[in-house]
Amino acid sequence: MCGIVGFTGSQQAAPILLDGLKKLEYRGYDSAGIAALCDSGIHMEKASGKIKNLDAKIDGGKALEGNCGIGHTRWATHGAPTDENAHPHLSNGGDFALVHNGIIENYAALREELIAKGVTFKSETDTEVVVQLLEQYYDGDLKAAVLKTVGRLEGAYALGILCAHEPGRVIAARQAAPLIVGVGVGENYFGSDVTAMVAHTKNFIYLEDGEIADLTPDKVTIYTDLGEEVEKPITRITWDVAAAEKGGYDHFMLKEIMEQPNAIKSTIEPRIQNGEIVLDDFHLTDEDLKQINKIMITACGSAFYAGSVGKYVIERLCRIPVEADLASELRYRDPLVDEHTLLVVVSQSGETADTIAAMKECKARGARILAIVNVVGSTIARLADDVIYTWAGPEIAVATTKGYTTQVAVMDMLAVYLARRLGRLDDAEYARLVDEIQQFPSLVQRAIDLNPNIQGLAKKYYNHNNIFFIGRNLDYAACMEGSLKLKEISYLHSEAYAAGELKHGTIALIEEDRPVIALACYEALFDKMMSNIKEVKARGAQVLAVVLEGNRQIFAEADDVIFIPKTEPMFNSLPEIIPLQLFAYYVARENGCDIDKPKNLAKSVTVE
Ligand code: G6P
């Protein structure tokens, strides 16, 4: 995780770097720091805690002179989140400052080697070896020192480098961690994500693993780790800075919940043409498709839960075996994957380390890779054979909302698309399902509008320590995401259970007043869910039920009821997560939590 930024130009660097770091704070917020270069050398400030602490220390950046510099916001891996362990790190002689995102796996050996040469270390980080190596290797040729240094590193890194003897020059290097160069006029930037730079430029160069960017105010040079210059295309992004701002909402999360109808519209509308689903970006031929005898879906976190929805819907419609597996498990389980497997990789950021590793593992075994990704040009998008972008726009809140629902919308669309191509849907059924998909934006808007009292329910339930979610089939898939949302941002202990499993253990935890959120939207299993609700009620639970609009039966058992609008039952996961997102949001608000930046989490998990 961690976010890094760099700038060189004629303006003062620190305010620009600070602003960029604020946009990257979702990547980590244990500490932050900036180093800038001026006539008297490198000046640096760091502060543990959130970026506002650094902001106060350097007066919004004004207190740090210099027109080029680097910055960092940290999610601690090696060493506690203290000032000493905060980045940037300085070399012993003060010639170099460096920021790093990733993990240097061979840092212990390098550290010993450097200590033997008389180098002293001030931090417990893996990063500090890199800055010391740079100083050891520098003899007036910065490029040579950078090449020698990266040649010694094993692991993952996005590096930002500042050298006291090279005014106006910043270097960035990438290996298995995101890094993008922003190309301006008379000034240039780098950052972990375009949001850090989009206030200044819309032109970006996406670096590949092993590439190094050498930036001066007027020039960007990219070279490989062998020192050979490479020509890189410039990508122009279309969204602007307003998309990454709160726009009057108290939190990004609430803004992003409310943006879901539009995000889903942008995702599906261009892909339905004259009643047909058209996936231009999915190049599987009929011949290829015939060869596929298994679909595997892999992802982490909420993206995995979107994948779990996909498993139910794709399997049901396509009648092909579908497995959904956590990427962190799949990568190490010697999976049965071959050229007859379609691997569907789901990721908002496109940078999640475990997801990338699982994908590479399956690719090496011959699987065809389809990625469902939000961030254009991200690692997963570039490694996949085919990509379907979720056009959710930038998602800033650490807990995903529109990222997740656009993934679910794509899963539903993909299921119908594949089923049609496999000859599993007749014309009428296909037309009906496509029509339902076209209603998704208004369906989600209605799920928001139907539930004005979620805040009131949150006030009733917020002070409980344990909340269970139960559901069956697709309701169960939604339970997992609803429960994750609640624990991520409100820190309440919450678990999701397949309702049929309750009696095999969990029911022992049901006691007087224990809240149970029961999802009973899947009508074919409604009676089964009613039995489960009765079982927990009989043991004293308070039941908050989520059911389809118009369901009156539920009032016989539930203490509180949330309604969702009707759609094709297979697509229920989309509307039913909306009230659960709002519930988690308002519970966290009642508990006074830092909703957009929950403790210990980071949005983009680029370490294993
Ligand atoms: C982190 C985020 C989650 C996200 C997961 C996978 O844990 O906090 O919201 O679902 O990573 O991220 P990805 O970018 O691969 O979807």
Side-chain angles (χ1 to χ4, degrees), residues 431-478:
R432 185 183 74 78
L433 292 174
V434 171
D435 185 54
E436 291 282 8
I437 291 173
Q438 279 183 298
Q439 307 306 318
F440 280 176
S442 53
L443 182 76
V444 168
Q445 186 61 55
R446 184 151 173 77
I448 294 173
D449 298 340
L450 258 183
N451 292 291
N453 190 34
I454 302 273
Q455 192 164 7
L457 291 172
K459 281 186 199 297
K460 176 173 173 187
Y461 288 97
Y462 80 95
N463 58 356
H464 287 268
N465 290 331
N466 291 291
I467 298 188
F468 294 107
F469 286 72
I470 57 170
R472 289 169 180 264
N473 205 276
L474 279 153
D475 286 342
Y476 171 51

Side-chain angles (χ1 to χ4, degrees), residues 300-303 346-350 352 355 398-400 407 488 602-603 605:
C300 298
S302 295
V346 192
S347 176
Q348 188 284 127
S349 64
T352 303
T355 310
V398 165
T400 179
Q407 288 162 354
E488 270 182 317
K603 188 156 189 69
V605 183

Side-chain angles (χ1 to χ4, degrees), residues 270-279 417 420 430 434 438:
R271 293 174 170 134
I272 300 185
Q273 294 161 16
N274 304 319
E276 290 284 333
I277 298 174
V278 182
L279 297 180
Y417 171 84
R420 176 68 169 173
Y430 178 63
V434 171
Q438 279 183 298

Side-chain angles (χ1 to χ4, degrees), residues 488-566:
E488 270 182 317
I489 60 168
S490 72
Y491 317 140
L492 297 189
H493 174 245
S494 153
E495 295 296 335
Y497 287 98
E501 272 294 297
L502 262 182
K503 58 180 94 49
H504 298 293
T506 313
I507 204 156
L509 299 172
I510 302 297
E511 55 184 34
E512 206 55 41
D513 278 348
R514 173 82 74 230
V516 173
I517 300 184
L519 273 64
C521 300
Y522 191 53
E523 278 181 314
L525 295 172
F526 181 74
D527 292 343
K528 306 276 176 207
M529 276 305 295
M530 275 303 259
S531 302
N532 294 128
I533 290 172
K534 284 182 183 152
E535 285 160 12
V536 294
K537 282 295 294 178
R539 287 155 181 91
Q542 291 190 67
V543 172
L544 167 55
V546 181
V547 294
L548 293 181
E549 202 177 358
N551 182 320
R552 313 307 301 170
Q553 263 175 287
I554 195 69
F555 287 108
E557 295 299 337
D559 297 272
D560 295 291
V561 178
I562 288 174
F563 288 112
I564 63 151
K566 282 190 180 172

